[in-house]
Tab-separated table of all heavy atoms in Angstrom:
chain	number	residue	atom	x	y	z
A	22	GLU	N	-22.638	-43.965	15.669
A	22	GLU	CA	-21.579	-44.751	16.318
A	22	GLU	C	-20.838	-45.608	15.290
A	22	GLU	O	-19.609	-45.612	15.239
A	22	GLU	CB	-22.153	-45.673	17.398
A	22	GLU	CG	-22.713	-44.978	18.597
A	22	GLU	CD	-21.650	-44.314	19.459
A	22	GLU	OE1	-20.538	-44.862	19.602
A	22	GLU	OE2	-21.944	-43.242	19.999
A	23	VAL	N	-21.597	-46.324	14.490
A	23	VAL	CA	-21.009	-47.206	13.478
A	23	VAL	C	-20.190	-46.399	12.477
A	23	VAL	O	-19.063	-46.768	12.145
A	23	VAL	CB	-22.107	-48.033	12.770
A	23	VAL	CG1	-21.558	-48.773	11.567
A	23	VAL	CG2	-22.758	-49.002	13.751
A	24	ASP	N	-20.747	-45.293	12.024
A	24	ASP	CA	-20.042	-44.457	11.051
A	24	ASP	C	-18.735	-43.916	11.625
A	24	ASP	O	-17.706	-43.894	10.948
A	24	ASP	CB	-20.927	-43.299	10.584
A	24	ASP	CG	-22.101	-43.763	9.740
A	24	ASP	OD1	-22.084	-44.907	9.257
A	24	ASP	OD2	-23.055	-42.970	9.578
A	25	TYR	N	-18.778	-43.468	12.883
A	25	TYR	CA	-17.558	-42.957	13.499
A	25	TYR	C	-16.505	-44.051	13.593
A	25	TYR	O	-15.349	-43.832	13.232
A	25	TYR	CB	-17.822	-42.377	14.896
A	25	TYR	CG	-16.522	-42.062	15.590
A	25	TYR	CD1	-15.790	-40.933	15.234
A	25	TYR	CD2	-15.988	-42.924	16.550
A	25	TYR	CE1	-14.560	-40.659	15.822
A	25	TYR	CE2	-14.767	-42.660	17.143
A	25	TYR	CZ	-14.059	-41.532	16.782
A	25	TYR	OH	-12.839	-41.272	17.359
A	26	TRP	N	-16.872	-45.233	14.068
A	26	TRP	CA	-15.886	-46.302	14.252
A	26	TRP	C	-15.335	-46.802	12.925
A	26	TRP	O	-14.161	-47.165	12.845
A	26	TRP	CB	-16.447	-47.429	15.111
A	26	TRP	CG	-16.530	-46.977	16.535
A	26	TRP	CD1	-17.663	-46.689	17.248
A	26	TRP	CD2	-15.440	-46.682	17.413
A	26	TRP	NE1	-17.336	-46.242	18.495
A	26	TRP	CE2	-15.978	-46.226	18.630
A	26	TRP	CE3	-14.053	-46.745	17.280
A	26	TRP	CZ2	-15.182	-45.857	19.711
A	26	TRP	CZ3	-13.257	-46.378	18.367
A	26	TRP	CH2	-13.824	-45.943	19.560
A	27	ARG	N	-16.145	-46.782	11.899
A	27	ARG	CA	-15.624	-47.133	10.566
A	27	ARG	C	-14.578	-46.118	10.121
A	27	ARG	O	-13.510	-46.477	9.628
A	27	ARG	CB	-16.752	-47.189	9.539
A	27	ARG	CG	-17.576	-48.430	9.600
A	27	ARG	CD	-18.617	-48.414	8.514
A	27	ARG	NE	-19.429	-49.601	8.580
A	27	ARG	CZ	-20.626	-49.708	8.042
A	27	ARG	NH1	-21.143	-48.693	7.380
A	27	ARG	NH2	-21.309	-50.823	8.150
A	28	ALA	N	-14.893	-44.849	10.278
A	28	ALA	CA	-13.961	-43.791	9.899
A	28	ALA	C	-12.685	-43.884	10.735
A	28	ALA	O	-11.582	-43.703	10.213
A	28	ALA	CB	-14.618	-42.420	10.073
A	29	TYR	N	-12.825	-44.189	12.007
A	29	TYR	CA	-11.675	-44.307	12.894
A	29	TYR	C	-10.760	-45.443	12.458
A	29	TYR	O	-9.536	-45.288	12.421
A	29	TYR	CB	-12.162	-44.520	14.330
A	29	TYR	CG	-11.039	-44.533	15.349
A	29	TYR	CD1	-10.496	-43.340	15.815
A	29	TYR	CD2	-10.545	-45.729	15.859
A	29	TYR	CE1	-9.474	-43.333	16.746
A	29	TYR	CE2	-9.523	-45.736	16.791
A	29	TYR	CZ	-8.998	-44.539	17.235
A	29	TYR	OH	-7.979	-44.542	18.152
A	30	LYS	N	-11.339	-46.574	12.125
A	30	LYS	CA	-10.550	-47.724	11.676
A	30	LYS	C	-9.826	-47.421	10.357
A	30	LYS	O	-8.676	-47.817	10.166
A	30	LYS	CB	-11.427	-48.969	11.521
A	30	LYS	CG	-11.858	-49.567	12.831
A	30	LYS	CD	-10.630	-50.006	13.588
A	30	LYS	CE	-10.967	-50.767	14.830
A	30	LYS	NZ	-9.778	-51.156	15.585
A	31	ILE	N	-10.490	-46.709	9.465
A	31	ILE	CA	-9.848	-46.321	8.203
A	31	ILE	C	-8.673	-45.388	8.486
A	31	ILE	O	-7.592	-45.547	7.917
A	31	ILE	CB	-10.866	-45.661	7.244
A	31	ILE	CG1	-11.869	-46.706	6.753
A	31	ILE	CG2	-10.155	-44.989	6.075
A	31	ILE	CD1	-13.070	-46.121	6.041
A	32	LEU	N	-8.872	-44.433	9.396
A	32	LEU	CA	-7.785	-43.524	9.769
A	32	LEU	C	-6.605	-44.285	10.352
A	32	LEU	O	-5.446	-43.993	10.031
A	32	LEU	CB	-8.272	-42.512	10.811
A	32	LEU	CG	-8.953	-41.260	10.313
A	32	LEU	CD1	-9.374	-40.387	11.491
A	32	LEU	CD2	-8.051	-40.484	9.386
A	33	GLN	N	-6.891	-45.270	11.198
A	33	GLN	CA	-5.811	-46.073	11.774
A	33	GLN	C	-5.017	-46.788	10.688
A	33	GLN	O	-3.787	-46.829	10.741
A	33	GLN	CB	-6.366	-47.106	12.752
A	33	GLN	CG	-6.752	-46.544	14.089
A	33	GLN	CD	-7.229	-47.623	15.028
A	33	GLN	OE1	-7.929	-48.561	14.645
A	33	GLN	NE2	-6.867	-47.494	16.293
A	34	ARG	N	-5.722	-47.343	9.721
A	34	ARG	CA	-5.035	-48.037	8.623
A	34	ARG	C	-4.185	-47.070	7.802
A	34	ARG	O	-3.075	-47.403	7.385
A	34	ARG	CB	-6.047	-48.739	7.725
A	34	ARG	CG	-6.669	-49.944	8.363
A	34	ARG	CD	-7.563	-50.682	7.391
A	34	ARG	NE	-8.475	-51.523	8.118
A	34	ARG	CZ	-9.774	-51.601	7.886
A	34	ARG	NH1	-10.322	-50.899	6.905
A	34	ARG	NH2	-10.536	-52.393	8.603
A	35	MET	N	-4.726	-45.876	7.567
A	35	MET	CA	-3.974	-44.874	6.808
A	35	MET	C	-2.713	-44.454	7.563
A	35	MET	O	-1.652	-44.305	6.962
A	35	MET	CB	-4.860	-43.660	6.522
A	35	MET	CG	-5.979	-43.943	5.544
A	35	MET	SD	-7.118	-42.553	5.360
A	35	MET	CE	-6.098	-41.402	4.448
A	36	LEU	N	-2.832	-44.281	8.867
A	36	LEU	CA	-1.687	-43.917	9.694
A	36	LEU	C	-0.643	-45.030	9.667
A	36	LEU	O	0.547	-44.771	9.462
A	36	LEU	CB	-2.144	-43.643	11.129
A	36	LEU	CG	-1.060	-43.273	12.132
A	36	LEU	CD1	-0.370	-41.973	11.726
A	36	LEU	CD2	-1.647	-43.164	13.525
A	37	LYS	N	-1.082	-46.244	9.843
A	37	LYS	CA	-0.177	-47.400	9.859
A	37	LYS	C	0.546	-47.569	8.509
A	37	LYS	O	1.712	-47.947	8.459
A	37	LYS	CB	-0.957	-48.661	10.195
A	37	LYS	CG	-0.105	-49.844	10.533
A	37	LYS	CD	-0.954	-50.994	11.032
A	37	LYS	CE	-0.075	-52.139	11.481
A	37	LYS	NZ	-0.854	-53.232	12.049
A	38	ALA	N	-0.161	-47.245	7.425
A	38	ALA	CA	0.425	-47.363	6.087
A	38	ALA	C	1.310	-46.169	5.729
A	38	ALA	O	1.920	-46.142	4.664
A	38	ALA	CB	-0.687	-47.516	5.049
A	39	GLY	N	1.357	-45.172	6.595
A	39	GLY	CA	2.193	-44.006	6.341
A	39	GLY	C	1.561	-42.995	5.405
A	39	GLY	O	2.244	-42.105	4.901
A	40	LEU	N	0.255	-43.119	5.178
A	40	LEU	CA	-0.430	-42.192	4.277
A	40	LEU	C	-0.756	-40.858	4.933
A	40	LEU	O	-0.929	-39.848	4.252
A	40	LEU	CB	-1.716	-42.838	3.751
A	40	LEU	CG	-1.515	-44.122	2.941
A	40	LEU	CD1	-2.851	-44.764	2.631
A	40	LEU	CD2	-0.750	-43.815	1.670
A	41	ILE	N	-0.852	-40.866	6.273
A	41	ILE	CA	-1.097	-39.634	7.024
A	41	ILE	C	-0.171	-39.619	8.233
A	41	ILE	O	0.298	-40.658	8.694
A	41	ILE	CB	-2.571	-39.487	7.477
A	41	ILE	CG1	-2.999	-40.665	8.366
A	41	ILE	CG2	-3.506	-39.318	6.290
A	41	ILE	CD1	-4.380	-40.517	8.983
A	42	SER	N	0.068	-38.422	8.764
A	42	SER	CA	0.913	-38.270	9.946
A	42	SER	C	0.040	-38.361	11.205
A	42	SER	O	-1.189	-38.345	11.131
A	42	SER	CB	1.624	-36.914	9.912
A	42	SER	OG	0.676	-35.866	10.087
A	43	GLU	N	0.716	-38.425	12.364
A	43	GLU	CA	-0.003	-38.435	13.650
A	43	GLU	C	-0.835	-37.156	13.796
A	43	GLU	O	-1.969	-37.204	14.266
A	43	GLU	CB	0.988	-38.534	14.814
A	43	GLU	CG	1.663	-39.855	14.947
A	43	GLU	CD	0.919	-40.808	15.858
A	43	GLU	OE1	0.020	-40.374	16.594
A	43	GLU	OE2	1.262	-42.001	15.811
A	44	GLU	N	-0.258	-36.032	13.390
A	44	GLU	CA	-0.980	-34.753	13.478
A	44	GLU	C	-2.237	-34.776	12.620
A	44	GLU	O	-3.300	-34.325	13.044
A	44	GLU	CB	-0.084	-33.594	13.031
A	44	GLU	CG	0.932	-33.173	14.046
A	44	GLU	CD	1.747	-31.986	13.570
A	44	GLU	OE1	1.345	-31.307	12.592
A	44	GLU	OE2	2.802	-31.730	14.183
A	45	GLU	N	-2.096	-35.276	11.395
A	45	GLU	CA	-3.254	-35.362	10.500
A	45	GLU	C	-4.302	-36.314	11.075
A	45	GLU	O	-5.495	-36.023	11.029
A	45	GLU	CB	-2.826	-35.828	9.114
A	45	GLU	CG	-1.993	-34.803	8.373
A	45	GLU	CD	-1.336	-35.342	7.123
A	45	GLU	OE1	-0.830	-36.493	7.158
A	45	GLU	OE2	-1.334	-34.613	6.116
A	46	PHE	N	-3.845	-37.425	11.631
A	46	PHE	CA	-4.755	-38.376	12.257
A	46	PHE	C	-5.577	-37.689	13.347
A	46	PHE	O	-6.801	-37.805	13.387
A	46	PHE	CB	-3.965	-39.556	12.849
A	46	PHE	CG	-4.816	-40.548	13.590
A	46	PHE	CD1	-5.364	-41.637	12.936
A	46	PHE	CD2	-5.069	-40.403	14.948
A	46	PHE	CE1	-6.155	-42.559	13.619
A	46	PHE	CE2	-5.856	-41.305	15.638
A	46	PHE	CZ	-6.398	-42.397	14.969
A	47	ASP	N	-4.886	-36.966	14.239
A	47	ASP	CA	-5.569	-36.284	15.341
A	47	ASP	C	-6.554	-35.231	14.841
A	47	ASP	O	-7.678	-35.137	15.359
A	47	ASP	CB	-4.548	-35.639	16.282
A	47	ASP	CG	-3.738	-36.670	17.059
A	47	ASP	OD1	-4.196	-37.826	17.194
A	47	ASP	OD2	-2.634	-36.318	17.524
A	48	LYS	N	-6.147	-34.452	13.839
A	48	LYS	CA	-7.030	-33.414	13.293
A	48	LYS	C	-8.287	-34.029	12.668
A	48	LYS	O	-9.401	-33.563	12.910
A	48	LYS	CB	-6.306	-32.575	12.242
A	48	LYS	CG	-5.322	-31.597	12.814
A	48	LYS	CD	-4.653	-30.810	11.699
A	48	LYS	CE	-3.585	-29.881	12.221
A	48	LYS	NZ	-2.917	-29.134	11.151
A	49	ILE	N	-8.086	-35.064	11.872
A	49	ILE	CA	-9.223	-35.695	11.200
A	49	ILE	C	-10.136	-36.365	12.222
A	49	ILE	O	-11.365	-36.281	12.126
A	49	ILE	CB	-8.746	-36.703	10.131
A	49	ILE	CG1	-7.981	-35.977	9.026
A	49	ILE	CG2	-9.929	-37.478	9.543
A	49	ILE	CD1	-7.218	-36.904	8.088
A	50	ASP	N	-9.539	-37.003	13.226
A	50	ASP	CA	-10.354	-37.661	14.249
A	50	ASP	C	-11.199	-36.641	15.013
A	50	ASP	O	-12.376	-36.893	15.299
A	50	ASP	CB	-9.476	-38.463	15.205
A	50	ASP	CG	-10.287	-39.317	16.160
A	50	ASP	OD1	-11.233	-39.998	15.682
A	50	ASP	OD2	-9.996	-39.313	17.362
A	51	LYS	N	-10.624	-35.484	15.320
A	51	LYS	CA	-11.393	-34.437	16.007
A	51	LYS	C	-12.561	-33.963	15.137
A	51	LYS	O	-13.667	-33.741	15.636
A	51	LYS	CB	-10.492	-33.267	16.383
A	51	LYS	CG	-9.615	-33.568	17.570
A	51	LYS	CD	-8.708	-32.412	17.907
A	51	LYS	CE	-7.767	-32.812	19.023
A	51	LYS	NZ	-6.784	-31.784	19.334
A	52	LEU	N	-12.312	-33.828	13.836
A	52	LEU	CA	-13.394	-33.447	12.929
A	52	LEU	C	-14.479	-34.530	12.886
A	52	LEU	O	-15.677	-34.225	12.876
A	52	LEU	CB	-12.856	-33.196	11.519
A	52	LEU	CG	-12.056	-31.925	11.313
A	52	LEU	CD1	-11.407	-31.929	9.934
A	52	LEU	CD2	-12.950	-30.702	11.480
A	53	ASN	N	-14.044	-35.787	12.868
A	53	ASN	CA	-15.012	-36.893	12.858
A	53	ASN	C	-15.838	-36.925	14.138
A	53	ASN	O	-17.035	-37.220	14.103
A	53	ASN	CB	-14.302	-38.233	12.649
A	53	ASN	CG	-13.861	-38.434	11.226
A	53	ASN	OD1	-14.334	-37.762	10.317
A	53	ASN	ND2	-12.928	-39.355	11.024
A	54	LEU	N	-15.214	-36.616	15.266
A	54	LEU	CA	-15.964	-36.569	16.529
A	54	LEU	C	-17.054	-35.500	16.470
A	54	LEU	O	-18.171	-35.714	16.947
A	54	LEU	CB	-15.018	-36.300	17.700
A	54	LEU	CG	-14.166	-37.473	18.153
A	54	LEU	CD1	-13.090	-37.008	19.121
A	54	LEU	CD2	-15.040	-38.541	18.796
């Protein structure tokens, strides 16, 4: 649980900073799940 939420928060920051797209965010999040 902790590992997933850490990864999720990092993904959110990357998305907000423009480092990844919405599509990339969704793909990576599905892999993390």
Side-chain angles (χ1 to χ4, degrees):
E22 292 291 324
V23 170
D24 291 344
Y25 171 76
W26 287 109
R27 282 182 181 160
Y29 185 80
K30 287 298 187 182
I31 291 168
L32 275 180
Q33 283 183 321
R34 288 185 200 133
M35 291 174 72
L36 179 62
K37 193 172 185 176
L40 299 173
I41 59 173
S42 68
E43 289 269 346
E44 283 182 15
E45 291 169 319
F46 176 91
D47 291 339
K48 285 180 184 179
I49 296 168
D50 188 46
K51 284 179 185 175
L52 287 171
N53 285 343
L54 284 169

